[in-house]
Amino acid sequence: RLADALRTSVGRSGYGVKQLPKGEGMRVACVSSQERATASWTACVAHVAVADSGEVTVKKLTVVSDIGTAVNPDGVMAQLEGASLFGLSIALYEQAVMKDGALQVTNFDSYTPLRMNQVPEMDVSFIANGDPPTGCGEPAVTVVGPAIGNAVFNAVGVRVRSLPISPEAVKAGAKA
């Protein structure tokens, strides 16, 4: 089932088919998740552009999840879309600094989640195969960051191993 999600995401995204410009990359990640003792299988292809400044822009996310039976298809899509965007927000933007056991951010002016104008093109779908229903809320959160990290590596040869994938981290990796 994980292989099906992987094949579907790769096929839908055009992965490996199109030649990308310099500074752009496209890569995949996949995950098998346990949620309330029911596994879900999810794959994500991220297409990114990395500027000379190190800033990463996600151009497109293609996310596919095998969730068994879709009891409420609209609800499944909402969960997958929201989870994908939450994963993107964590991967590129969110960072809560702690000092002496206390958060240093007190409001959204100093804590920067994903903003509406940063939402990339998205192709989110699910495989409903008649098996028992599984969870669809969290699995997409966990697969987006690794796909973006892999795409950054494909674009500029820099492997960032902590989140968020900041311009500073990309530039530091390029110098190493």
Side-chain angles (χ1 to χ4, degrees):
R1 291 174 69 177
L2 183 58
D4 284 343
L6 182 60
R7 280 190 292 269
T8 304
S9 66
V10 165
R12 291 177 69 96
S13 70
Y15 180 89
V17 174
K18 47 186 158 181
Q19 182 71 23
L20 300 177
K22 184 178 188 295
E24 290 189 20
M26 184 184 266
R27 283 296 183 261
V28 65
C30 57
V31 63
S32 175
S33 304
Q34 287 299 121
E35 183 177 294
R36 296 184 188 96
T38 59
S40 296
W41 296 266
T42 306
C44 174
V45 176
H47 178 181
V48 305
V50 182
D52 291 339
S53 66
E55 182 178 358
V56 176
T57 301
V58 176
K59 297 182 76 152
K60 183 177 181 181
L61 291 176
T62 304
V63 179
V64 176
S65 191
D66 180 331
I67 51 90
T69 298
V71 176
N72 179 345
D74 289 340
V76 169
M77 287 302 293
Q79 288 288 308
L80 291 173
E81 290 167 351
S84 299
L85 291 175
F86 184 42
L88 170 58
S89 188
I90 293 167
L92 293 184
Y93 303 107
E94 297 187 36
Q95 186 172 22
V97 178
M98 301 276 290
K99 182 177 177 189
D100 299 324
L103 284 172
Q104 298 303 296
V105 293
T106 58
N107 206 331
F108 287 113
D109 63 342
S110 57
Y111 182 78
T112 310
L114 177 73
R115 307 290 191 198
M116 291 294 288
N117 65 344
Q118 297 164 317
V119 173
E121 178 183 349
M122 294 180 62
D123 178 0
V124 178
S125 60
F126 59 88
I127 299 168
N129 57 19
D131 285 345
T134 64
C136 63
E138 288 85 359
V141 174
T142 64
V143 76
V144 171
I148 292 170
N150 290 337
V152 168
F153 181 74
N154 178 243
V156 293
V158 172
R159 184 66 75 186
V160 180
R161 299 191 183 275
S162 61
L163 300 179
I165 301 171
S166 66
E168 296 78 22
V170 173
K171 288 189 78 150
K175 291 179 183 175

